[in-house]
Amino acid sequence: MITTPETYIVAPTDFKLRLHCDGDSFDPTTDFLELRFSVGDAEYEVVNDPTNETHTHCKIDDGDLVVIFEHYPFISGRLSYRAHFRKADADFSDGTADIYVKETPTNIHFVK
């Protein structure tokens, strides 16, 4: 899902990731997505919940989800993420199927 060239960031530099969603089964304008970015034990939560009009550390721009990193807790190490999707499915009691994706490393590294 998140593909970037090898990138080195000196913390606490502000930066953004644009997640292109063309052709994916995820549509940020209608679908819930929670991303938990981590380096070691430090985490940074990103939530896109268009149903409740909640966007934490992100925004929708031209059909893409833009993740905004500022005031994050990372100092040094490789950035990883875990994803949690929610899809409408009437077979489940709450009307949604929750889908979790295992932790995945990115090509983003924080350096001192």
Side-chain angles (χ1 to χ4, degrees), residues 59-96:
K59 69 177 189 172
I60 298 170
D61 180 50
D62 232 4
D64 294 336
L65 186 66
V66 177
V67 178
I68 301 163
F69 285 85
E70 61 181 350
H71 309 295
Y72 50 82
F74 313 130
I75 297 170
S76 65
R78 186 175 187 172
L79 184 68
S80 295
Y81 69 94
R82 292 184 314 265
H84 168 207
F85 296 92
R86 216 177 263 151
K87 296 284 186 182
D89 191 325
D91 291 337
F92 295 95
S93 61
D94 64 357
T96 61

Side-chain angles (χ1 to χ4, degrees), residues 21-76:
C21 302
D22 294 345
D24 286 347
S25 57
F26 169 72
D27 180 352
T29 62
T30 59
D31 296 335
F32 174 91
L33 171 62
E34 174 188 47
L35 293 166
R36 289 197 176 265
F37 289 93
S38 63
V39 174
D41 292 336
E43 288 193 345
Y44 187 78
E45 181 181 55
V46 174
V47 177
N48 177 68
D49 187 356
T51 303
N52 295 313
E53 297 181 11
T54 303
H55 303 281
T56 305
H57 299 128
C58 65
K59 69 177 189 172
I60 298 170
D61 180 50
D62 232 4
D64 294 336
L65 186 66
V66 177
V67 178
I68 301 163
F69 285 85
E70 61 181 350
H71 309 295
Y72 50 82
F74 313 130
I75 297 170
S76 65

